[in-house]
Amino acid sequence: MSVEDQTVDKNRPARKTSKAQRVLTGIHTFFYRLSGGKMGGRLGKSPILLLITTGRKTGKPRTTPLFYLKDGDNLILFASNGGSATHPTWWLNLQANPQAEVELGSKKLPVTARQADAEERKRLWPLLVAMYGDYAEYQKKTTREIPIVILSPTAKNLP
């Protein structure tokens, strides 16, 4: 299913990001980039990447550190927003423009985003919860089905 074909309300606002959260994200991103992912590249057993999206309102690049799961050549994200009733801003940005970039350590990769279909979700959900157990709690906190986002390498990355 392409991002354009989804039934998610793209006009629904994201939860406001607090100033403290923006500062912590900025610090995390700074140290991640400074160390090539050695600092801030993991939290416990969960790996972290930097996702760079294009702001759907501003057109500016937006960087977000996120847990991810590797699935073949794809990277899997979970748009939980901590169990909030609204989607995270990064997911709304990807819905508006599915072309993005990720940083894995010091490597940058262009990717294209799409939402996992029902079959993919059934397979990926237990893997995500095994990696980071709080995802199951986040789903219990909200009435929305939390999207699983698949980032695939763009054609220019393929041999």
Side-chain angles (χ1 to χ4, degrees):
M1 174 184 295
S2 73
V3 173
E4 294 82 14
D5 294 337
Q6 296 168 32
T7 58
V8 176
D9 182 0
K10 296 175 187 171
N11 296 319
R12 185 175 188 177
R15 181 179 71 178
K16 278 275 193 193
T17 306
S18 71
K19 185 173 185 171
Q21 187 177 5
R22 285 191 303 272
V23 168
L24 289 174
T25 295
I27 292 169
H28 188 156
T29 299
F30 174 80
F31 284 108
Y32 187 104
R33 285 179 171 153
L34 180 70
S35 69
K38 291 182 177 75
M39 293 188 322
R42 293 192 86 70
L43 181 60
K45 63 180 180 176
S46 303
I48 297 173
L49 58 72
L50 298 181
L51 174 68
I52 300 95
T53 60
T54 300
R56 68 193 185 288
K57 295 178 183 176
T58 65
K60 295 180 182 178
R62 301 294 183 204
T63 303
T64 309
L66 296 168
F67 291 132
Y68 74 96
L69 180 69
K70 191 136 176 60
D71 185 51
D73 289 338
N74 296 327
L75 303 169
I76 312 302
L77 307 177
F78 194 64
S80 66
N81 209 9
S84 171
T86 58
H87 293 301
T89 303
W90 63 263
W91 176 229
L92 297 175
N93 289 343
L94 285 174
Q95 289 176 304
N97 178 2
Q99 302 306 309
E101 185 175 66
V102 295
E103 292 181 35
L104 294 167
S106 58
K107 190 175 181 183
K108 292 184 178 184
L109 303 167
V111 294
T112 302
R114 67 178 177 83
Q115 186 169 348
D117 64 28
E119 188 174 308
E120 290 168 319
R121 181 181 181 80
K122 184 177 180 181
R123 181 178 65 81
L124 293 169
W125 175 261
L127 300 175
L128 289 163
V129 171
M131 178 191 70
Y132 187 69
D134 285 351
Y135 286 146
E137 294 305 311
Y138 295 161
Q139 185 60 77
K140 290 177 187 174
K141 286 172 54 174
T142 185
T143 57
R144 71 183 172 94
E145 181 178 80
I146 296 174
I148 294 175
V149 180
I150 299 174
L151 302 177
S152 300
T154 58
K156 64 182 171 181
N157 275 345
L158 301 175

